[in-house]
Amino acid sequence: MNNMNQMMKQVKKMQEQMMKAQEELGTKTIEGTAGGGVVTVSINGHKKLLDIKIKPEAVDPEDIEMLQDLVLTAVNDALTKADELANQDMGKYTGGMKIPGLF
């Protein structure tokens, strides 16, 4: 029975550490870029879009599709980096296991 109590304490401590790490992800900013930096997006570790910057040279009224592609590429770049950051930060506590709904 003592082992069970000890294990429950360890699980509770791990949960607290994971929740703190999850909260800290929200304070981190990740940038994604496209087109050599003509489009830059910023998101936080919770994948909330914070900012989009588009340099004037990226805007060509004759080629709106190019700008759309650049924005999509920059957003996807930032999202990929956010996933990598979450896996790195949360992996410390999960031992590399993917826990559904956590990240």
Side-chain angles (χ1 to χ4, degrees):
M1 190 62 145
N2 194 21
N3 284 342
M4 181 63 90
N5 287 336
Q6 189 72 7
M7 186 172 75
M8 293 304 291
K9 286 180 184 179
Q10 288 177 336
V11 167
K12 182 174 169 102
K13 182 179 178 183
M14 184 178 82
Q15 286 176 326
E16 290 169 356
Q17 291 172 328
M18 289 172 55
M19 289 186 68
K20 183 179 177 190
Q22 186 72 12
E23 287 176 21
E24 288 174 0
L25 279 173
T27 66
K28 296 182 179 180
T29 301
I30 301 104
E31 283 192 353
T33 61
V38 295
V39 175
T40 302
V41 298
S42 298
I43 64 172
N44 68 16
H46 291 160
K47 300 181 183 176
K48 181 180 177 184
L49 186 61
L50 303 173
D51 190 33
I52 299 175
K53 293 181 182 168
I54 301 172
K55 292 185 178 178
E57 58 265 28
V59 181
D60 178 357
E62 301 297 317
D63 194 3
I64 296 300
E65 291 81 17
M66 172 70 84
L67 179 56
Q68 291 169 335
D69 288 343
L70 289 170
V71 171
L72 283 174
T73 300
V75 169
N76 286 328
D77 182 44
L79 291 172
T80 298
K81 289 176 181 176
D83 284 340
E84 291 169 357
L85 178 64
N87 287 333
Q88 178 184 6
D89 285 1
M90 300 303 287
K92 298 174 194 171
Y93 307 108
T94 64
M97 293 183 306
K98 302 261 188 212
I99 300 174
L102 194 56
F103 52 91

Coordinates of all heavy atoms in Angstrom, one line a residue:
M1 N 0.8 -1.2 0.0 CA 0.0 0.0 0.0 C 0.9 1.3 0.0 O 0.5 2.2 -0.6 CB -0.9 0.0 1.2 CG -2.0 1.0 1.2 SD -3.0 0.8 -0.2 CE -4.6 1.3 0.4
N2 N 2.0 1.2 0.7 CA 2.9 2.3 0.7 C 3.4 2.7 -0.7 O 3.6 3.8 -1.0 CB 4.1 2.1 1.7 CG 4.8 3.3 2.0 OD1 4.3 4.4 1.8 ND2 6.1 3.2 2.5
N3 N 3.7 1.6 -1.5 CA 4.2 1.8 -2.9 C 3.1 2.5 -3.7 O 3.4 3.3 -4.5 CB 4.5 0.5 -3.5 CG 5.9 0.0 -3.0 OD1 6.7 0.7 -2.5 ND2 6.1 -1.3 -3.2
M4 N 1.9 2.2 -3.5 CA 0.8 2.8 -4.2 C 0.7 4.3 -3.9 O 0.5 5.1 -4.8 CB -0.6 2.1 -3.9 CG -1.7 2.7 -4.7 SD -1.6 2.5 -6.4 CE -2.4 1.0 -6.7
N5 N 0.8 4.6 -2.6 CA 0.8 6.0 -2.2 C 1.9 6.8 -2.8 O 1.8 7.9 -3.3 CB 0.8 6.2 -0.7 CG -0.5 5.8 -0.1 OD1 -1.6 5.8 -0.7 ND2 -0.5 5.4 1.2
Q6 N 3.1 6.2 -2.8 CA 4.3 6.8 -3.4 C 4.1 7.0 -4.9 O 4.4 8.1 -5.4 CB 5.5 5.9 -3.1 CG 6.8 6.5 -3.4 CD 7.2 7.7 -2.5 OE1 6.6 7.9 -1.4 NE2 8.3 8.4 -2.8
M7 N 3.6 6.1 -5.5 CA 3.3 6.2 -7.0 C 2.3 7.3 -7.3 O 2.5 8.1 -8.2 CB 2.8 4.8 -7.6 CG 2.7 4.9 -9.1 SD 2.3 3.3 -9.8 CE 0.6 3.1 -9.4
M8 N 1.3 7.4 -6.5 CA 0.3 8.4 -6.7 C 0.9 9.8 -6.5 O 0.5 10.7 -7.2 CB -0.9 8.2 -5.7 CG -1.7 6.9 -6.1 SD -2.3 6.9 -7.8 CE -3.5 8.2 -7.8
K9 N 1.7 9.9 -5.5 CA 2.4 11.2 -5.3 C 3.3 11.6 -6.5 O 3.3 12.7 -6.9 CB 3.3 11.2 -4.0 CG 2.5 11.2 -2.7 CD 3.4 11.1 -1.5 CE 2.6 11.1 -0.2 NZ 3.5 11.0 0.9
Q10 N 4.0 10.6 -7.0 CA 4.8 10.8 -8.2 C 4.0 11.2 -9.4 O 4.3 12.1 -10.2 CB 5.7 9.6 -8.5 CG 6.8 9.4 -7.6 CD 7.5 8.1 -7.9 OE1 7.0 7.2 -8.5 NE2 8.8 8.0 -7.4
V11 N 2.8 10.6 -9.6 CA 1.9 10.9 -10.7 C 1.4 12.3 -10.5 O 1.4 13.1 -11.5 CB 0.8 9.9 -10.8 CG1 -0.3 10.4 -11.7 CG2 1.3 8.5 -11.2
K12 N 1.0 12.7 -9.3 CA 0.5 14.0 -9.1 C 1.6 15.1 -9.3 O 1.3 16.1 -10.0 CB 0.0 14.1 -7.6 CG -0.6 15.5 -7.3 CD -1.2 15.5 -5.9 CE -1.6 16.9 -5.5 NZ -2.9 17.3 -5.6
K13 N 2.8 14.8 -8.9 CA 3.9 15.7 -9.2 C 4.1 15.9 -10.7 O 4.3 17.0 -11.2 CB 5.2 15.2 -8.5 CG 6.3 16.2 -8.6 CD 7.6 15.7 -7.9 CE 8.7 16.6 -8.1 NZ 10.0 16.2 -7.5
M14 N 4.1 14.8 -11.4 CA 4.3 14.8 -12.8 C 3.2 15.6 -13.5 O 3.5 16.5 -14.4 CB 4.4 13.4 -13.4 CG 4.7 13.4 -14.9 SD 4.8 11.8 -15.6 CE 3.1 11.4 -15.9
Q15 N 2.0 15.5 -13.1 CA 0.9 16.2 -13.6 C 1.1 17.7 -13.4 O 0.8 18.5 -14.3 CB -0.5 15.8 -13.0 CG -1.0 14.4 -13.5 CD -2.2 14.0 -12.7 OE1 -2.4 14.3 -11.6 NE2 -3.1 13.3 -13.5
E16 N 1.5 18.1 -12.2 CA 1.7 19.5 -11.9 C 2.8 20.1 -12.8 O 2.7 21.2 -13.3 CB 2.0 19.7 -10.4 CG 0.9 19.4 -9.5 CD 1.3 19.3 -8.0 OE1 2.5 19.4 -7.7 OE2 0.3 19.1 -7.2
Q17 N 3.9 19.3 -12.9 CA 5.0 19.8 -13.8 C 4.5 19.9 -15.2 O 4.9 20.9 -15.9 CB 6.2 18.8 -13.7 CG 6.9 18.8 -12.4 CD 7.9 17.7 -12.3 OE1 7.8 16.6 -12.9 NE2 9.0 17.9 -11.5
M18 N 3.7 19.0 -15.7 CA 3.2 19.1 -17.1 C 2.3 20.3 -17.3 O 2.4 20.9 -18.3 CB 2.6 17.8 -17.5 CG 3.5 16.6 -17.6 SD 2.8 15.0 -17.9 CE 1.7 15.3 -19.3
M19 N 1.5 20.5 -16.3 CA 0.5 21.7 -16.4 C 1.3 23.0 -16.4 O 1.0 23.9 -17.2 CB -0.5 21.6 -15.3 CG -1.5 20.5 -15.4 SD -2.8 20.6 -14.2 CE -3.7 22.0 -14.7
K20 N 2.4 23.0 -15.6 CA 3.2 24.3 -15.6 C 3.9 24.4 -16.9 O 3.9 25.5 -17.5 CB 4.2 24.2 -14.4 CG 5.1 25.4 -14.3 CD 6.1 25.3 -13.2 CE 6.9 26.6 -13.2 NZ 8.0 26.5 -12.3
A21 N 4.4 23.3 -17.5 CA 5.1 23.4 -18.8 C 4.1 23.8 -19.9 O 4.5 24.6 -20.7 CB 5.8 22.1 -19.1
Q22 N 2.9 23.3 -19.8 CA 1.9 23.7 -20.8 C 1.6 25.2 -20.7 O 1.4 25.8 -21.7 CB 0.6 22.8 -20.5 CG -0.5 23.0 -21.6 CD -0.1 22.4 -22.9 OE1 0.8 21.6 -23.1 NE2 -0.9 22.8 -23.9
E23 N 1.4 25.7 -19.5 CA 1.2 27.1 -19.3 C 2.4 28.0 -19.9 O 2.1 29.0 -20.5 CB 1.0 27.5 -17.8 CG -0.3 27.0 -17.2 CD -0.4 27.2 -15.7 OE1 0.3 28.1 -15.2 OE2 -1.2 26.5 -15.1
E24 N 3.6 27.5 -19.6 CA 4.8 28.2 -20.1 C 4.8 28.3 -21.6 O 5.3 29.2 -22.2 CB 6.0 27.6 -19.5 CG 6.2 27.9 -18.0 CD 7.4 27.2 -17.4 OE1 8.1 26.4 -18.1 OE2 7.6 27.3 -16.2
L25 N 4.3 27.2 -22.3 CA 4.3 27.2 -23.7 C 3.5 28.4 -24.2 O 3.8 29.0 -25.3 CB 3.7 26.0 -24.3 CG 4.5 24.7 -24.3 CD1 3.7 23.5 -24.7 CD2 5.7 24.9 -25.3
G26 N 2.5 28.8 -23.5 CA 1.6 30.0 -24.0 C 2.4 31.3 -23.9 O 2.0 32.3 -24.6
T27 N 3.5 31.3 -23.2 CA 4.2 32.6 -23.1 C 5.4 32.7 -24.1 O 6.0 33.7 -24.2 CB 4.9 32.7 -21.6 OG1 5.8 31.7 -21.4 CG2 3.8 32.7 -20.6
K28 N 5.6 31.6 -24.8 CA 6.7 31.5 -25.8 C 6.2 32.0 -27.1 O 5.1 31.6 -27.5 CB 7.3 30.1 -25.8 CG 8.0 29.8 -24.5 CD 8.6 28.4 -24.6 CE 9.3 28.1 -23.2 NZ 9.9 26.8 -23.2
T29 N 7.0 32.7 -27.9 CA 6.7 33.1 -29.2 C 7.5 32.4 -30.2 O 8.7 32.3 -30.1 CB 6.9 34.7 -29.3 OG1 6.1 35.3 -28.4 CG2 6.5 35.2 -30.7
I30 N 6.9 31.9 -31.3 CA 7.5 31.2 -32.4 C 7.2 32.0 -33.6 O 6.1 32.4 -33.9 CB 7.0 29.8 -32.5 CG1 7.2 29.0 -31.2 CG2 7.6 29.0 -33.6 CD1 6.0 28.8 -30.3
E31 N 8.3 32.1 -34.5 CA 8.1 32.8 -35.8 C 8.3 31.8 -36.9 O 9.1 30.9 -36.8 CB 9.2 33.9 -35.9 CG 8.9 35.1 -35.2 CD 9.8 36.3 -35.6 OE1 10.7 36.1 -36.4 OE2 9.5 37.4 -35.1
G32 N 7.5 32.0 -37.9 CA 7.6 31.2 -39.1 C 7.8 32.2 -40.3 O 7.2 33.3 -40.2
T33 N 8.5 31.8 -41.3 CA 8.8 32.7 -42.4 C 8.6 32.0 -43.7 O 8.6 30.8 -43.8 CB 10.2 33.3 -42.3 OG1 11.2 32.2 -42.4 CG2 10.5 34.1 -41.0
A34 N 8.5 32.8 -44.7 CA 8.4 32.3 -46.1 C 9.0 33.4 -47.0 O 9.0 34.6 -46.7 CB 7.0 32.0 -46.5
G35 N 9.4 32.9 -48.2 CA 9.9 33.8 -49.2 C 11.1 34.6 -48.8 O 11.3 35.8 -49.1
G36 N 12.0 33.9 -48.0 CA 13.2 34.6 -47.6 C 12.9 35.7 -46.6 O 13.7 36.6 -46.4
G37 N 11.8 35.6 -45.9 CA 11.5 36.6 -44.8 C 10.6 37.7 -45.3 O 10.3 38.6 -44.5
V38 N 10.0 37.6 -46.5 CA 9.1 38.7 -46.9 C 7.7 38.5 -46.2 O 7.0 39.5 -46.1 CB 8.9 38.7 -48.4 CG1 10.1 39.1 -49.1 CG2 8.3 37.4 -49.0
V39 N 7.4 37.3 -45.7 CA 6.3 37.1 -44.9 C 6.7 36.4 -43.6 O 7.4 35.4 -43.6 CB 5.2 36.2 -45.6 CG1 4.1 35.9 -44.6 CG2 4.7 36.8 -46.8
T40 N 6.3 37.0 -42.5 CA 6.7 36.4 -41.2 C 5.4 36.4 -40.3 O 4.7 37.4 -40.2 CB 7.7 37.3 -40.4 OG1 8.9 37.4 -41.2 CG2 8.1 36.8 -39.1
V41 N 5.2 35.3 -39.7 CA 4.1 35.2 -38.7 C 4.6 34.8 -37.4 O 5.6 34.1 -37.2 CB 3.0 34.1 -39.2 CG1 2.4 34.5 -40.5 CG2 3.6 32.7 -39.2
S42 N 3.9 35.3 -36.3 CA 4.3 34.9 -35.0 C 3.1 34.2 -34.3 O 2.0 34.7 -34.4 CB 4.6 36.2 -34.2 OG 5.7 36.8 -34.8
I43 N 3.4 33.1 -33.6 CA 2.3 32.4 -32.8 C 2.9 32.2 -31.5 O 4.1 32.3 -31.2 CB 1.9 31.1 -33.5 CG1 3.1 30.1 -33.6 CG2 1.3 31.4 -34.9 CD1 2.6 28.7 -34.1
N44 N 2.0 31.8 -30.5 CA 2.5 31.4 -29.2 C 2.6 29.9 -29.2 O 2.1 29.2 -30.1 CB 1.7 32.1 -28.1 CG 0.3 31.6 -28.0 OD1 -0.1 30.5 -28.5 ND2 -0.5 32.3 -27.2
G45 N 3.1 29.4 -28.1 CA 3.2 27.9 -27.9 C 1.9 27.2 -27.9 O 1.8 26.0 -28.0
H46 N 0.8 27.9 -27.7 CA -0.6 27.3 -27.8 C -1.2 27.4 -29.2 O -2.3 27.2 -29.4 CB -1.5 28.0 -26.8 CG -1.2 27.7 -25.4 ND1 -1.6 28.4 -24.3 CD2 -0.4 26.7 -24.8 CE1 -1.1 28.0 -23.2 NE2 -0.4 26.9 -23.5
K47 N -0.3 27.8 -30.1 CA -0.7 27.9 -31.6 C -1.7 29.0 -31.8 O -2.5 28.9 -32.8 CB -1.2 26.6 -32.1 CG -0.1 25.5 -32.0 CD -0.7 24.2 -32.6 CE 0.3 23.1 -32.4 NZ -0.2 21.8 -32.9
K48 N -1.7 30.1 -31.0 CA -2.5 31.2 -31.3 C -1.7 32.2 -32.1 O -0.6 32.6 -31.8 CB -2.9 31.9 -30.0 CG -3.9 33.1 -30.2 CD -4.3 33.7 -28.9 CE -5.1 34.9 -29.1 NZ -5.5 35.6 -27.9
L49 N -2.3 32.6 -33.3 CA -1.7 33.6 -34.2 C -1.6 34.9 -33.5 O -2.6 35.5 -33.1 CB -2.4 33.7 -35.5 CG -1.8 34.5 -36.6 CD1 -0.5 33.9 -37.0 CD2 -2.8 34.5 -37.8
L50 N -0.4 35.5 -33.4 CA -0.2 36.8 -32.7 C 0.0 37.9 -33.7 O -0.4 39.0 -33.4 CB 1.0 36.7 -31.8 CG 1.0 35.6 -30.7 CD1 2.3 35.5 -30.0 CD2 -0.2 35.8 -29.7
D51 N 0.7 37.6 -34.8 CA 1.1 38.7 -35.7 C 1.4 38.2 -37.1 O 1.9 37.1 -37.2 CB 2.3 39.4 -35.1 CG 2.7 40.7 -35.9 OD1 1.8 41.4 -36.3 OD2 3.9 41.0 -35.9
I52 N 1.1 39.0 -38.1 CA 1.5 38.7 -39.5 C 2.2 39.9 -40.0 O 1.6 41.0 -40.0 CB 0.4 38.3 -40.4 CG1 -0.4 37.1 -39.9 CG2 0.8 38.1 -41.8 CD1 -1.6 36.7 -40.7
K53 N 3.4 39.8 -40.6 CA 4.1 40.9 -41.2 C 4.4 40.5 -42.6 O 4.9 39.5 -42.9 CB 5.4 41.2 -40.5 CG 5.2 41.7 -39.1 CD 6.6 42.0 -38.4 CE 6.3 42.4 -37.0 NZ 7.5 42.5 -36.2
I54 N 4.0 41.5 -43.5 CA 4.2 41.3 -45.0 C 5.0 42.5 -45.5 O 4.5 43.6 -45.4 CB 2.9 41.1 -45.7 CG1 2.1 39.9 -45.1 CG2 3.1 41.0 -47.2 CD1 0.7 39.8 -45.6
K55 N 6.1 42.2 -46.1 CA 6.9 43.3 -46.6 C 6.3 43.7 -48.0 O 5.7 42.9 -48.7 CB 8.4 42.8 -46.8 CG 9.1 42.6 -45.5 CD 10.6 42.3 -45.7 CE 11.3 42.1 -44.4 NZ 12.7 41.8 -44.6
P56 N 6.4 45.0 -48.3 CA 5.8 45.5 -49.6 C 6.2 44.7 -50.8 O 5.4 44.5 -51.7 CB 6.3 46.9 -49.6 CG 6.6 47.3 -48.2 CD 7.1 46.0 -47.6
E57 N 7.4 44.2 -50.9 CA 7.8 43.5 -52.1 C 7.1 42.2 -52.3 O 7.2 41.6 -53.4 CB 9.4 43.3 -52.1 CG 9.9 42.5 -50.9 CD 10.4 43.4 -49.8 OE1 10.0 44.5 -49.6 OE2 11.3 42.9 -49.1
A58 N 6.4 41.7 -51.2 CA 5.6 40.5 -51.4 C 4.3 40.7 -52.0 O 3.6 39.8 -52.4 CB 5.4 39.8 -50.0
V59 N 3.9 42.0 -52.1 CA 2.5 42.3 -52.6 C 2.6 42.6 -54.1 O 3.2 43.7 -54.5 CB 1.9 43.5 -51.8 CG1 0.5 43.8 -52.3 CG2 1.9 43.2 -50.3
D60 N 2.0 41.8 -54.9 CA 1.9 42.0 -56.4 C 0.5 41.8 -56.7 O 0.0 40.7 -56.7 CB 2.8 41.0 -57.1 CG 2.7 41.1 -58.6 OD1 1.9 42.0 -59.1 OD2 3.4 40.4 -59.3
P61 N -0.2 42.9 -57.0 CA -1.7 42.8 -57.4 C -2.0 41.8 -58.5 O -3.1 41.3 -58.6 CB -2.1 44.2 -57.8 CG -1.0 45.1 -57.2 CD 0.3 44.2 -57.1
E62 N -1.0 41.5 -59.3 CA -1.1 40.6 -60.4 C -1.0 39.2 -60.0 O -1.2 38.2 -60.8 CB -0.1 40.9 -61.6 CG -0.3 42.4 -62.1 CD -1.6 42.6 -62.8 OE1 -2.1 41.7 -63.5 OE2 -2.2 43.7 -62.5
D63 N -0.5 38.9 -58.8 CA -0.2 37.6 -58.4 C -0.6 37.4 -56.9 O 0.3 37.1 -56.0 CB 1.3 37.3 -58.6 CG 1.6 35.8 -58.5 OD1 0.7 35.0 -58.3 OD2 2.8 35.4 -58.5
I64 N -1.8 37.5 -56.6 CA -2.3 37.4 -55.2 C -2.1 35.9 -54.7 O -1.8 35.7 -53.5 CB -3.9 37.7 -55.2 CG1 -4.1 39.1 -55.5 CG2 -4.4 37.4 -53.8 CD1 -3.4 40.1 -54.6
E65 N -2.2 35.0 -55.6 CA -1.9 33.6 -55.2 C -0.6 33.4 -54.6 O -0.4 32.6 -53.6 CB -2.1 32.6 -56.4 CG -3.5 32.5 -56.9 CD -3.9 33.6 -57.8 OE1 -3.0 34.4 -58.3 OE2 -5.1 33.8 -58.0
M66 N 0.4 34.1 -55.1 CA 1.8 34.0 -54.5 C 1.8 34.4 -53.1 O 2.3 33.8 -52.2 CB 2.8 34.8 -55.3 CG 4.2 34.9 -54.7 SD 5.1 33.3 -54.7 CE 5.8 33.4 -56.4
L67 N 1.1 35.5 -52.8 CA 1.1 36.1 -51.4 C 0.3 35.1 -50.5 O 0.7 34.8 -49.4 CB 0.4 37.5 -51.4 CG 0.3 38.1 -50.0 CD1 1.6 38.2 -49.3 CD2 -0.4 39.5 -50.2
Q68 N -0.8 34.6 -51.0 CA -1.5 33.6 -50.2 C -0.7 32.4 -49.9 O -0.7 31.9 -48.8 CB -2.8 33.1 -51.0 CG -3.8 34.2 -51.2 CD -4.9 33.9 -52.1 OE1 -4.7 33.1 -53.1 NE2 -6.0 34.5 -52.0
D69 N 0.1 31.9 -50.9 CA 1.0 30.8 -50.6 C 2.1 31.1 -49.6 O 2.4 30.3 -48.8 CB 1.7 30.3 -52.0 CG 0.7 29.6 -52.9 OD1 -0.4 29.2 -52.4 OD2 1.0 29.5 -54.1
L70 N 2.6 32.3 -49.7 CA 3.6 32.7 -48.8 C 3.1 32.8 -47.3 O 3.7 32.3 -46.4 CB 4.2 34.1 -49.1 CG 5.1 34.1 -50.4 CD1 5.4 35.6 -50.8 CD2 6.4 33.3 -50.2
V71 N 1.9 33.3 -47.2 CA 1.3 33.3 -45.8 C 1.0 31.9 -45.3 O 1.3 31.6 -44.2 CB 0.0 34.2 -45.9 CG1 -0.8 34.0 -44.5 CG2 0.3 35.6 -46.2
L72 N 0.5 31.1 -46.1 CA 0.2 29.7 -45.7 C 1.6 29.0 -45.3 O 1.6 28.3 -44.3 CB -0.4 28.9 -46.9 CG -1.9 29.1 -47.0 CD1 -2.4 28.4 -48.3 CD2 -2.7 28.6 -45.8
T73 N 2.6 29.2 -46.1 CA 3.9 28.6 -45.8 C 4.4 29.1 -44.5 O 4.9 28.3 -43.7 CB 4.9 28.8 -47.0 OG1 4.3 28.3 -48.2 CG2 6.2 28.2 -46.7
A74 N 4.3 30.4 -44.3 CA 4.8 30.9 -43.0 C 4.1 30.4 -41.8 O 4.6 30.1 -40.8 CB 4.8 32.5 -43.1
V75 N 2.7 30.4 -41.9 CA 1.9 29.8 -40.8 C 2.3 28.4 -40.6 O 2.4 28.0 -39.4 CB 0.4 30.0 -41.1 CG1 -0.4 29.3 -40.1 CG2 0.0 31.5 -41.1
N76 N 2.4 27.6 -41.6 CA 2.7 26.2 -41.4 C 4.1 26.0 -40.8 O 4.3 25.1 -40.0 CB 2.5 25.4 -42.7 CG 1.1 25.2 -43.1 OD1 0.2 25.0 -42.2 ND2 0.8 25.2 -44.3
D77 N 5.0 26.8 -41.2 CA 6.4 26.8 -40.6 C 6.3 27.1 -39.1 O 6.9 26.4 -38.3 CB 7.2 27.8 -41.3 CG 8.7 27.8 -40.9 OD1 9.3 26.7 -40.7 OD2 9.2 28.9 -40.7
A78 N 5.5 28.1 -38.7 CA 5.4 28.4 -37.3 C 4.7 27.3 -36.6 O 5.1 27.0 -35.4 CB 4.6 29.7 -37.2
L79 N 3.7 26.7 -37.1 CA 3.0 25.6 -36.5 C 3.9 24.4 -36.3 O 3.8 23.8 -35.2 CB 1.7 25.2 -37.2 CG 0.6 26.3 -37.2 CD1 -0.5 25.8 -38.2 CD2 0.0 26.5 -35.9
T80 N 4.7 24.1 -37.3 CA 5.6 23.0 -37.1 C 6.6 23.3 -36.0 O 6.9 22.4 -35.2 CB 6.4 22.8 -38.5 OG1 5.4 22.4 -39.5 CG2 7.4 21.7 -38.4
K81 N 7.1 24.5 -36.0 CA 8.1 24.8 -34.9 C 7.4 24.8 -33.5 O 8.0 24.4 -32.5 CB 8.7 26.2 -35.2 CG 9.6 26.3 -36.4 CD 10.1 27.7 -36.6 CE 11.0 27.7 -37.8 NZ 11.4 29.1 -38.2
A82 N 6.1 25.2 -33.5 CA 5.4 25.1 -32.2 C 5.2 23.7 -31.7 O 5.4 23.4 -30.5 CB 4.0 25.8 -32.3
D83 N 4.9 22.8 -32.7 CA 4.8 21.3 -32.3 C 6.2 20.8 -31.8 O 6.2 20.1 -30.8 CB 4.4 20.5 -33.5 CG 2.9 20.7 -33.8 OD1 2.1 21.1 -32.9 OD2 2.5 20.4 -35.0
E84 N 7.3 21.2 -32.5 CA 8.6 20.7 -32.1 C 8.9 21.3 -30.7 O 9.4 20.5 -29.8 CB 9.6 21.2 -33.1 CG 9.5 20.5 -34.4 CD 10.4 21.1 -35.5 OE1 11.1 22.2 -35.2 OE2 10.4 20.6 -36.6
L85 N 8.6 22.5 -30.4 CA 8.8 23.1 -29.1 C 8.0 22.4 -28.0 O 8.5 22.0 -26.9 CB 8.5 24.6 -29.1 CG 8.6 25.3 -27.8 CD1 10.1 25.3 -27.4 CD2 8.1 26.8 -27.9
A86 N 6.7 22.1 -28.3 CA 5.9 21.4 -27.3 C 6.4 20.0 -27.1 O 6.4 19.6 -25.9 CB 4.4 21.4 -27.9
N87 N 6.8 19.3 -28.1 CA 7.3 18.0 -28.0 C 8.6 18.0 -27.1 O 8.8 17.1 -26.3 CB 7.6 17.3 -29.3 CG 6.3 16.9 -30.0 OD1 5.3 16.6 -29.4 ND2 6.4 16.8 -31.3
Q88 N 9.4 19.0 -27.3 CA 10.7 19.1 -26.6 C 10.4 19.4 -25.1 O 10.9 18.8 -24.2 CB 11.5 20.2 -27.2 CG 12.8 20.5 -26.5 CD 13.6 21.7 -27.1 OE1 13.1 22.3 -28.0 NE2 14.8 21.9 -26.6
D89 N 9.5 20.4 -24.9 CA 9.2 20.8 -23.5 C 8.5 19.8 -22.7 O 8.8 19.5 -21.6 CB 8.5 22.2 -23.5 CG 9.3 23.4 -23.8 OD1 10.6 23.2 -24.1 OD2 8.8 24.5 -23.8
M90 N 7.4 19.2 -23.4 CA 6.6 18.3 -22.7 C 7.2 16.9 -22.6 O 6.9 16.1 -21.7 CB 5.2 18.2 -23.3 CG 4.5 19.5 -23.3 SD 4.2 20.2 -21.7 CE 3.0 19.1 -21.1
G91 N 8.1 16.6 -23.6 CA 8.8 15.3 -23.6 C 9.6 15.0 -22.4 O 9.9 13.9 -22.0
K92 N 10.0 16.1 -21.7 CA 10.8 15.9 -20.5 C 10.0 15.2 -19.4 O 10.5 14.5 -18.6 CB 11.2 17.3 -19.9 CG 12.0 18.1 -20.8 CD 12.2 19.5 -20.2 CE 12.8 20.5 -21.2 NZ 12.8 21.9 -20.7
Y93 N 8.7 15.3 -19.5 CA 7.8 14.7 -18.5 C 7.1 13.5 -18.9 O 6.7 12.7 -18.1 CB 6.8 15.8 -18.0 CG 7.4 17.1 -17.6 CD1 7.3 18.2 -18.3 CD2 8.2 17.1 -16.4 CE1 8.0 19.4 -18.0 CE2 8.8 18.3 -16.0 CZ 8.7 19.4 -16.8 OH 9.3 20.6 -16.4
T94 N 7.0 13.3 -20.2 CA 6.2 12.2 -20.7 C 7.1 11.1 -21.2 O 6.6 10.0 -21.7 CB 5.3 12.6 -21.9 OG1 6.1 13.1 -23.0 CG2 4.3 13.7 -21.5
G95 N 8.4 11.3 -21.2 CA 9.4 10.3 -21.7 C 9.2 10.0 -23.2 O 9.5 8.9 -23.7
G96 N 8.7 11.0 -23.9 CA 8.6 10.9 -25.4 C 7.2 10.3 -25.8 O 6.9 10.2 -27.0
M97 N 6.4 9.9 -24.8 CA 5.1 9.3 -25.2 C 4.2 10.5 -25.6 O 4.2 11.6 -25.1 CB 4.4 8.7 -23.9 CG 5.1 7.5 -23.4 SD 4.1 6.7 -22.1 CE 4.0 8.1 -20.9
K98 N 3.4 10.2 -26.6 CA 2.4 11.2 -27.1 C 1.1 11.0 -26.3 O 0.5 9.9 -26.4 CB 2.1 11.0 -28.6 CG 3.3 11.1 -29.5 CD 3.5 12.5 -30.1 CE 4.6 12.5 -31.0 NZ 5.2 13.7 -31.1
I99 N 0.7 12.0 -25.6 CA -0.5 11.9 -24.8 C -1.6 12.7 -25.5 O -1.5 13.9 -25.6 CB -0.3 12.4 -23.3 CG1 0.8 11.5 -22.7 CG2 -1.6 12.3 -22.5 CD1 1.3 12.0 -21.3
P100 N -2.7 12.0 -25.9 CA -3.7 12.7 -26.7 C -4.3 13.9 -25.9 O -4.5 13.8 -24.7 CB -4.8 11.7 -26.9 CG -4.0 10.4 -26.8 CD -2.9 10.6 -25.8
G101 N -4.5 15.0 -26.6 CA -5.1 16.2 -25.9 C -4.1 17.0 -25.2 O -4.4 18.1 -24.7
L102 N -2.9 16.6 -25.0 CA -1.9 17.4 -24.3 C -1.1 18.3 -25.2 O -0.9 19.4 -24.9 CB -1.0 16.4 -23.5 CG -0.1 17.1 -22.4 CD1 -1.0 17.8 -21.4 CD2 0.7 16.0 -21.8
F103 N -0.7 17.8 -26.3 CA 0.0 18.6 -27.3 C 0.0 17.9 -28.6 O -0.4 16.8 -28.8 CB 1.4 18.9 -26.9 CG 2.3 17.7 -26.5 CD1 3.0 17.1 -27.4 CD2 2.3 17.3 -25.2 CE1 3.8 16.0 -27.1 CE2 3.1 16.2 -24.8 CZ 3.8 15.6 -25.8

